[in-house]
Amino acid sequence: MDASPSFAVIPGAQVHRALSGDETVVIDVVRRAYELHGAGATVNPDSFFLRFPDRPSSRIIGLPASVAGDVGVHGIKWISSFPGNVAAGLPRASAVLVLNDAETGYPFACLESSIISASRTAASAALAAAELSAARGRLPARVGFVGTGLIARYIHTYLVAGGFSFDEVGVHDLVAGHARGFCDYLERAGAGKVRVCDTAEELIRSYDLVVFATVAGEPHVTDPAWLAHDPLVLHVSLRDLSPEIILSAWNVVDDVEHCMKAGTSPHLAEQLTGHRDFVAGTLYDVLTGALRPPADRPVIFSPFGLGVLDLAVAKHVYDTVRDARELATVPDFFHELTRYG
């Protein structure tokens, strides 16, 4: 870093341009972040939750992290989740992310991060779907989405970019208008046959790849018989499945310690049983070949969402914008740069 540090602001439009159409690269960036995390080249403390007594369903989460290796950056994502926004026509989540120089600690960029967050979530889901499907020897032909917001849209985009081709896409949402909106997106995206399911049970029983992308705060899927056809489940929203579902399946997470908190479905299963034996391992274990999922049981991937993934994708965005000579820096952002004035 230069002796006189600079500070850049990268708005959402630039983030979108840097990531849109580059999904396979982002999947590789996320894969590399998982590899660094699994190799111990990251620092990923617990996320911390700011909650509000008058808004129990809302929260703002801080995800500090550090990534070494070829990423070489520290930082934090500050992401809010206010479900009430949806009724007002706004996305539920909003976020910013700050990158800090690995040598000096100086912050050098602030990026709009809702797109980064959605992209890393979708890239993680697409990576897991590809690796777990290949390891099982079962390539899903039909995908169903429970929850149809922005995250569902991004996951579908990344699944297709990652090489999946589906004979049918199923859609279920508690709000009929949201389901229709997602169907409109799928039709514009050339998704082929699209089917709206009236109930979560109908959708789960009908598809061999099931994506949960809801705002559920507690389990609403409780019957293991719904998964008797042994689907691959991307449990992205983390709180949809009862402990009984978790205990009946083969489970893989992104990070065991991080996933066992904040009332996630695996956390509830741990509280019920007093152990973690129901977790087979991590996605890193699958990537390295140390873990192989079965073909004759439901397989559930429950990613808590690691700050190191956000940092890796944000650094990729920063490098892309910088290399295009489009960085917008804030003049004199750092004012006191001499120790004695």
Side-chain angles (χ1 to χ4, degrees), residues 62-92:
L63 290 81
S66 174
V67 188
D70 50 358
V71 179
V73 73
H74 316 310
I76 186 169
K77 179 175 74 170
W78 184 238
I79 181 166
S80 68
S81 174
F82 278 52
N85 288 348
V86 175
L90 285 172
R92 169 186 59 86

PDB file of all heavy atoms in Angstrom, residues 62-92:
ATOM      1  N   GLY A  62     -22.760  -8.289  11.988  1.00  0.00           N
ATOM      2  CA  GLY A  62     -21.396  -7.972  11.612  1.00  0.00           C
ATOM      3  C   GLY A  62     -20.594  -9.243  11.413  1.00  0.00           C
ATOM      4  O   GLY A  62     -20.599 -10.120  12.281  1.00  0.00           O
ATOM      5  N   LEU A  63     -19.921  -9.355  10.267  1.00  0.00           N
ATOM      6  CA  LEU A  63     -19.106 -10.528   9.966  1.00  0.00           C
ATOM      7  C   LEU A  63     -17.667 -10.081   9.730  1.00  0.00           C
ATOM      8  O   LEU A  63     -17.280  -9.750   8.596  1.00  0.00           O
ATOM      9  CB  LEU A  63     -19.624 -11.274   8.727  1.00  0.00           C
ATOM     10  CG  LEU A  63     -20.947 -12.025   8.835  1.00  0.00           C
ATOM     11  CD1 LEU A  63     -22.126 -11.073   8.668  1.00  0.00           C
ATOM     12  CD2 LEU A  63     -21.023 -13.120   7.771  1.00  0.00           C
ATOM     13  N   PRO A  64     -16.838 -10.033  10.773  1.00  0.00           N
ATOM     14  CA  PRO A  64     -15.433  -9.710  10.580  1.00  0.00           C
ATOM     15  C   PRO A  64     -14.675 -10.939  10.097  1.00  0.00           C
ATOM     16  O   PRO A  64     -15.041 -12.077  10.417  1.00  0.00           O
ATOM     17  CB  PRO A  64     -14.984  -9.308  11.981  1.00  0.00           C
ATOM     18  CG  PRO A  64     -15.864 -10.105  12.891  1.00  0.00           C
ATOM     19  CD  PRO A  64     -17.190 -10.257  12.185  1.00  0.00           C
ATOM     20  N   ALA A  65     -13.613 -10.728   9.333  1.00  0.00           N
ATOM     21  CA  ALA A  65     -12.853 -11.866   8.820  1.00  0.00           C
ATOM     22  C   ALA A  65     -11.517 -11.402   8.266  1.00  0.00           C
ATOM     23  O   ALA A  65     -11.292 -10.199   8.045  1.00  0.00           O
ATOM     24  CB  ALA A  65     -13.645 -12.599   7.732  1.00  0.00           C
ATOM     25  N   SER A  66     -10.652 -12.362   8.047  1.00  0.00           N
ATOM     26  CA  SER A  66      -9.356 -12.119   7.419  1.00  0.00           C
ATOM     27  C   SER A  66      -9.021 -13.314   6.540  1.00  0.00           C
ATOM     28  O   SER A  66      -9.244 -14.459   6.942  1.00  0.00           O
ATOM     29  CB  SER A  66      -8.267 -11.929   8.485  1.00  0.00           C
ATOM     30  OG  SER A  66      -6.985 -11.835   7.889  1.00  0.00           O
ATOM     31  N   VAL A  67      -8.513 -13.029   5.354  1.00  0.00           N
ATOM     32  CA  VAL A  67      -8.129 -14.088   4.421  1.00  0.00           C
ATOM     33  C   VAL A  67      -6.688 -13.856   3.999  1.00  0.00           C
ATOM     34  O   VAL A  67      -6.339 -12.774   3.509  1.00  0.00           O
ATOM     35  CB  VAL A  67      -9.033 -14.107   3.172  1.00  0.00           C
ATOM     36  CG1 VAL A  67      -8.744 -15.345   2.325  1.00  0.00           C
ATOM     37  CG2 VAL A  67     -10.505 -14.067   3.549  1.00  0.00           C
ATOM     38  N   ALA A  68      -5.854 -14.855   4.170  1.00  0.00           N
ATOM     39  CA  ALA A  68      -4.454 -14.755   3.757  1.00  0.00           C
ATOM     40  C   ALA A  68      -4.310 -15.255   2.320  1.00  0.00           C
ATOM     41  O   ALA A  68      -5.223 -15.122   1.511  1.00  0.00           O
ATOM     42  CB  ALA A  68      -3.580 -15.552   4.721  1.00  0.00           C
ATOM     43  N   GLY A  69      -3.160 -15.798   1.985  1.00  0.00           N
ATOM     44  CA  GLY A  69      -2.956 -16.352   0.656  1.00  0.00           C
ATOM     45  C   GLY A  69      -3.029 -15.303  -0.425  1.00  0.00           C
ATOM     46  O   GLY A  69      -2.632 -14.145  -0.230  1.00  0.00           O
ATOM     47  N   ASP A  70      -3.552 -15.691  -1.584  1.00  0.00           N
ATOM     48  CA  ASP A  70      -3.607 -14.784  -2.726  1.00  0.00           C
ATOM     49  C   ASP A  70      -4.720 -13.745  -2.600  1.00  0.00           C
ATOM     50  O   ASP A  70      -4.801 -12.825  -3.418  1.00  0.00           O
ATOM     51  CB  ASP A  70      -3.769 -15.570  -4.035  1.00  0.00           C
ATOM     52  CG  ASP A  70      -4.897 -16.588  -3.972  1.00  0.00           C
ATOM     53  OD1 ASP A  70      -5.526 -16.714  -2.913  1.00  0.00           O
ATOM     54  OD2 ASP A  70      -5.120 -17.278  -4.980  1.00  0.00           O
ATOM     55  N   VAL A  71      -5.576 -13.848  -1.583  1.00  0.00           N
ATOM     56  CA  VAL A  71      -6.594 -12.822  -1.336  1.00  0.00           C
ATOM     57  C   VAL A  71      -5.978 -11.706  -0.502  1.00  0.00           C
ATOM     58  O   VAL A  71      -6.028 -10.534  -0.872  1.00  0.00           O
ATOM     59  CB  VAL A  71      -7.835 -13.417  -0.637  1.00  0.00           C
ATOM     60  CG1 VAL A  71      -8.879 -12.332  -0.364  1.00  0.00           C
ATOM     61  CG2 VAL A  71      -8.440 -14.524  -1.498  1.00  0.00           C
ATOM     62  N   GLY A  72      -5.408 -12.049   0.635  1.00  0.00           N
ATOM     63  CA  GLY A  72      -4.611 -11.119   1.422  1.00  0.00           C
ATOM     64  C   GLY A  72      -5.316  -9.856   1.848  1.00  0.00           C
ATOM     65  O   GLY A  72      -4.883  -8.747   1.514  1.00  0.00           O
ATOM     66  N   VAL A  73      -6.400  -9.997   2.621  1.00  0.00           N
ATOM     67  CA  VAL A  73      -7.164  -8.818   3.009  1.00  0.00           C
ATOM     68  C   VAL A  73      -7.890  -9.099   4.317  1.00  0.00           C
ATOM     69  O   VAL A  73      -8.193 -10.247   4.655  1.00  0.00           O
ATOM     70  CB  VAL A  73      -8.160  -8.433   1.881  1.00  0.00           C
ATOM     71  CG1 VAL A  73      -9.320  -9.411   1.812  1.00  0.00           C
ATOM     72  CG2 VAL A  73      -8.653  -7.016   2.023  1.00  0.00           C
ATOM     73  N   HIS A  74      -8.142  -8.041   5.092  1.00  0.00           N
ATOM     74  CA  HIS A  74      -9.009  -8.104   6.262  1.00  0.00           C
ATOM     75  C   HIS A  74     -10.271  -7.307   5.935  1.00  0.00           C
ATOM     76  O   HIS A  74     -10.312  -6.546   4.969  1.00  0.00           O
ATOM     77  CB  HIS A  74      -8.344  -7.493   7.499  1.00  0.00           C
ATOM     78  CG  HIS A  74      -6.921  -7.882   7.712  1.00  0.00           C
ATOM     79  ND1 HIS A  74      -6.493  -9.190   7.682  1.00  0.00           N
ATOM     80  CD2 HIS A  74      -5.816  -7.129   7.966  1.00  0.00           C
ATOM     81  CE1 HIS A  74      -5.192  -9.239   7.917  1.00  0.00           C
ATOM     82  NE2 HIS A  74      -4.754  -7.994   8.081  1.00  0.00           N
ATOM     83  N   GLY A  75     -11.295  -7.440   6.790  1.00  0.00           N
ATOM     84  CA  GLY A  75     -12.485  -6.625   6.556  1.00  0.00           C
ATOM     85  C   GLY A  75     -13.681  -7.071   7.360  1.00  0.00           C
ATOM     86  O   GLY A  75     -13.604  -7.973   8.203  1.00  0.00           O
ATOM     87  N   ILE A  76     -14.795  -6.431   7.095  1.00  0.00           N
ATOM     88  CA  ILE A  76     -16.044  -6.748   7.785  1.00  0.00           C
ATOM     89  C   ILE A  76     -17.227  -6.437   6.875  1.00  0.00           C
ATOM     90  O   ILE A  76     -17.238  -5.441   6.149  1.00  0.00           O
ATOM     91  CB  ILE A  76     -16.173  -5.958   9.113  1.00  0.00           C
ATOM     92  CG1 ILE A  76     -17.411  -6.398   9.901  1.00  0.00           C
ATOM     93  CG2 ILE A  76     -16.191  -4.450   8.861  1.00  0.00           C
ATOM     94  CD1 ILE A  76     -17.447  -5.862  11.322  1.00  0.00           C
ATOM     95  N   LYS A  77     -18.212  -7.338   6.919  1.00  0.00           N
ATOM     96  CA  LYS A  77     -19.500  -7.081   6.269  1.00  0.00           C
ATOM     97  C   LYS A  77     -20.510  -6.715   7.348  1.00  0.00           C
ATOM     98  O   LYS A  77     -20.567  -7.339   8.411  1.00  0.00           O
ATOM     99  CB  LYS A  77     -19.993  -8.315   5.502  1.00  0.00           C
ATOM    100  CG  LYS A  77     -21.352  -8.083   4.823  1.00  0.00           C
ATOM    101  CD  LYS A  77     -21.784  -9.255   3.962  1.00  0.00           C
ATOM    102  CE  LYS A  77     -22.252 -10.430   4.792  1.00  0.00           C
ATOM    103  NZ  LYS A  77     -22.900 -11.477   3.972  1.00  0.00           N
ATOM    104  N   TRP A  78     -21.303  -5.689   7.075  1.00  0.00           N
ATOM    105  CA  TRP A  78     -22.327  -5.184   7.998  1.00  0.00           C
ATOM    106  C   TRP A  78     -23.645  -5.276   7.258  1.00  0.00           C
ATOM    107  O   TRP A  78     -23.932  -4.489   6.363  1.00  0.00           O
ATOM    108  CB  TRP A  78     -21.971  -3.755   8.391  1.00  0.00           C
ATOM    109  CG  TRP A  78     -22.828  -3.056   9.407  1.00  0.00           C
ATOM    110  CD1 TRP A  78     -23.497  -1.875   9.232  1.00  0.00           C
ATOM    111  CD2 TRP A  78     -23.053  -3.437  10.775  1.00  0.00           C
ATOM    112  NE1 TRP A  78     -24.121  -1.510  10.400  1.00  0.00           N
ATOM    113  CE2 TRP A  78     -23.865  -2.446  11.368  1.00  0.00           C
ATOM    114  CE3 TRP A  78     -22.643  -4.520  11.557  1.00  0.00           C
ATOM    115  CZ2 TRP A  78     -24.287  -2.510  12.686  1.00  0.00           C
ATOM    116  CZ3 TRP A  78     -23.070  -4.585  12.880  1.00  0.00           C
ATOM    117  CH2 TRP A  78     -23.874  -3.588  13.425  1.00  0.00           C
ATOM    118  N   ILE A  79     -24.438  -6.313   7.573  1.00  0.00           N
ATOM    119  CA  ILE A  79     -25.621  -6.620   6.766  1.00  0.00           C
ATOM    120  C   ILE A  79     -26.866  -6.632   7.639  1.00  0.00           C
ATOM    121  O   ILE A  79     -26.898  -7.256   8.701  1.00  0.00           O
ATOM    122  CB  ILE A  79     -25.450  -7.972   6.023  1.00  0.00           C
ATOM    123  CG1 ILE A  79     -26.682  -8.271   5.155  1.00  0.00           C
ATOM    124  CG2 ILE A  79     -25.125  -9.119   6.979  1.00  0.00           C
ATOM    125  CD1 ILE A  79     -26.461  -9.383   4.154  1.00  0.00           C
ATOM    126  N   SER A  80     -27.882  -5.930   7.204  1.00  0.00           N
ATOM    127  CA  SER A  80     -29.139  -5.868   7.943  1.00  0.00           C
ATOM    128  C   SER A  80     -30.172  -6.772   7.293  1.00  0.00           C
ATOM    129  O   SER A  80     -30.188  -6.966   6.074  1.00  0.00           O
ATOM    130  CB  SER A  80     -29.666  -4.433   8.002  1.00  0.00           C
ATOM    131  OG  SER A  80     -30.073  -4.004   6.718  1.00  0.00           O
ATOM    132  N   SER A  81     -31.042  -7.320   8.133  1.00  0.00           N
ATOM    133  CA  SER A  81     -32.167  -8.124   7.666  1.00  0.00           C
ATOM    134  C   SER A  81     -33.422  -7.599   8.346  1.00  0.00           C
ATOM    135  O   SER A  81     -33.630  -7.815   9.542  1.00  0.00           O
ATOM    136  CB  SER A  81     -31.951  -9.602   8.006  1.00  0.00           C
ATOM    137  OG  SER A  81     -33.104 -10.363   7.678  1.00  0.00           O
ATOM    138  N   PHE A  82     -34.230  -6.894   7.569  1.00  0.00           N
ATOM    139  CA  PHE A  82     -35.479  -6.328   8.079  1.00  0.00           C
ATOM    140  C   PHE A  82     -36.626  -6.889   7.233  1.00  0.00           C
ATOM    141  O   PHE A  82     -36.963  -6.331   6.175  1.00  0.00           O
ATOM    142  CB  PHE A  82     -35.449  -4.800   7.994  1.00  0.00           C
ATOM    143  CG  PHE A  82     -34.722  -4.122   9.125  1.00  0.00           C
ATOM    144  CD1 PHE A  82     -33.431  -4.493   9.474  1.00  0.00           C
ATOM    145  CD2 PHE A  82     -35.328  -3.113   9.862  1.00  0.00           C
ATOM    146  CE1 PHE A  82     -32.756  -3.890  10.510  1.00  0.00           C
ATOM    147  CE2 PHE A  82     -34.659  -2.492  10.920  1.00  0.00           C
ATOM    148  CZ  PHE A  82     -33.372  -2.878  11.249  1.00  0.00           C
ATOM    149  N   PRO A  83     -37.215  -8.016   7.638  1.00  0.00           N
ATOM    150  CA  PRO A  83     -38.252  -8.660   6.820  1.00  0.00           C
ATOM    151  C   PRO A  83     -39.422  -7.750   6.485  1.00  0.00           C
ATOM    152  O   PRO A  83     -40.070  -7.923   5.446  1.00  0.00           O
ATOM    153  CB  PRO A  83     -38.697  -9.842   7.701  1.00  0.00           C
ATOM    154  CG  PRO A  83     -37.507 -10.151   8.540  1.00  0.00           C
ATOM    155  CD  PRO A  83     -36.881  -8.819   8.827  1.00  0.00           C
ATOM    156  N   GLY A  84     -39.680  -6.754   7.342  1.00  0.00           N
ATOM    157  CA  GLY A  84     -40.784  -5.834   7.059  1.00  0.00           C
ATOM    158  C   GLY A  84     -40.590  -5.012   5.809  1.00  0.00           C
ATOM    159  O   GLY A  84     -41.561  -4.445   5.271  1.00  0.00           O
ATOM    160  N   ASN A  85     -39.356  -4.934   5.316  1.00  0.00           N
ATOM    161  CA  ASN A  85     -39.108  -4.185   4.084  1.00  0.00           C
ATOM    162  C   ASN A  85     -39.884  -4.755   2.903  1.00  0.00           C
ATOM    163  O   ASN A  85     -40.258  -4.021   1.975  1.00  0.00           O
ATOM    164  CB  ASN A  85     -37.613  -4.215   3.734  1.00  0.00           C
ATOM    165  CG  ASN A  85     -36.779  -3.363   4.665  1.00  0.00           C
ATOM    166  OD1 ASN A  85     -37.306  -2.571   5.436  1.00  0.00           O
ATOM    167  ND2 ASN A  85     -35.474  -3.526   4.590  1.00  0.00           N
ATOM    168  N   VAL A  86     -40.091  -6.077   2.920  1.00  0.00           N
ATOM    169  CA  VAL A  86     -40.699  -6.734   1.762  1.00  0.00           C
ATOM    170  C   VAL A  86     -42.090  -6.177   1.486  1.00  0.00           C
ATOM    171  O   VAL A  86     -42.468  -5.937   0.326  1.00  0.00           O
ATOM    172  CB  VAL A  86     -40.746  -8.255   1.988  1.00  0.00           C
ATOM    173  CG1 VAL A  86     -41.490  -8.945   0.850  1.00  0.00           C
ATOM    174  CG2 VAL A  86     -39.321  -8.816   2.099  1.00  0.00           C
ATOM    175  N   ALA A  87     -42.858  -5.941   2.538  1.00  0.00           N
ATOM    176  CA  ALA A  87     -44.216  -5.407   2.363  1.00  0.00           C
ATOM    177  C   ALA A  87     -44.197  -4.014   1.764  1.00  0.00           C
ATOM    178  O   ALA A  87     -45.167  -3.582   1.128  1.00  0.00           O
ATOM    179  CB  ALA A  87     -44.946  -5.394   3.703  1.00  0.00           C
ATOM    180  N   ALA A  88     -43.087  -3.292   1.964  1.00  0.00           N
ATOM    181  CA  ALA A  88     -42.962  -1.945   1.410  1.00  0.00           C
ATOM    182  C   ALA A  88     -42.320  -1.942   0.028  1.00  0.00           C
ATOM    183  O   ALA A  88     -42.049  -0.877  -0.528  1.00  0.00           O
ATOM    184  CB  ALA A  88     -42.128  -1.084   2.361  1.00  0.00           C
ATOM    185  N   GLY A  89     -42.067  -3.126  -0.504  1.00  0.00           N
ATOM    186  CA  GLY A  89     -41.496  -3.218  -1.843  1.00  0.00           C
ATOM    187  C   GLY A  89     -39.987  -3.113  -1.895  1.00  0.00           C
ATOM    188  O   GLY A  89     -39.405  -2.981  -2.980  1.00  0.00           O
ATOM    189  N   LEU A  90     -39.329  -3.173  -0.716  1.00  0.00           N
ATOM    190  CA  LEU A  90     -37.876  -3.129  -0.664  1.00  0.00           C
ATOM    191  C   LEU A  90     -37.322  -4.515  -0.382  1.00  0.00           C
ATOM    192  O   LEU A  90     -37.974  -5.331   0.282  1.00  0.00           O
ATOM    193  CB  LEU A  90     -37.405  -2.189   0.455  1.00  0.00           C
ATOM    194  CG  LEU A  90     -37.521  -0.691   0.229  1.00  0.00           C
ATOM    195  CD1 LEU A  90     -37.188   0.040   1.531  1.00  0.00           C
ATOM    196  CD2 LEU A  90     -36.588  -0.234  -0.883  1.00  0.00           C
ATOM    197  N   PRO A  91     -36.103  -4.820  -0.858  1.00  0.00           N
ATOM    198  CA  PRO A  91     -35.474  -6.078  -0.464  1.00  0.00           C
ATOM    199  C   PRO A  91     -35.297  -6.143   1.052  1.00  0.00           C
ATOM    200  O   PRO A  91     -35.090  -5.119   1.724  1.00  0.00           O
ATOM    201  CB  PRO A  91     -34.122  -6.055  -1.187  1.00  0.00           C
ATOM    202  CG  PRO A  91     -34.326  -5.142  -2.352  1.00  0.00           C
ATOM    203  CD  PRO A  91     -35.303  -4.089  -1.869  1.00  0.00           C
ATOM    204  N   ARG A  92     -35.363  -7.361   1.567  1.00  0.00           N
ATOM    205  CA  ARG A  92     -35.214  -7.580   3.008  1.00  0.00           C
ATOM    206  C   ARG A  92     -33.849  -7.140   3.513  1.00  0.00           C
ATOM    207  O   ARG A  92     -33.713  -6.545   4.573  1.00  0.00           O
ATOM    208  CB  ARG A  92     -35.407  -9.076   3.293  1.00  0.00           C
ATOM    209  CG  ARG A  92     -35.029  -9.528   4.691  1.00  0.00           C
ATOM    210  CD  ARG A  92     -35.123 -11.047   4.810  1.00  0.00           C
ATOM    211  NE  ARG A  92     -34.242 -11.719   3.858  1.00  0.00           N
ATOM    212  CZ  ARG A  92     -32.961 -11.992   4.090  1.00  0.00           C
ATOM    213  NH1 ARG A  92     -32.403 -11.646   5.232  1.00  0.00           N
ATOM    214  NH2 ARG A  92     -32.235 -12.616   3.173  1.00  0.00           N
TER     215      ARG A  92
END
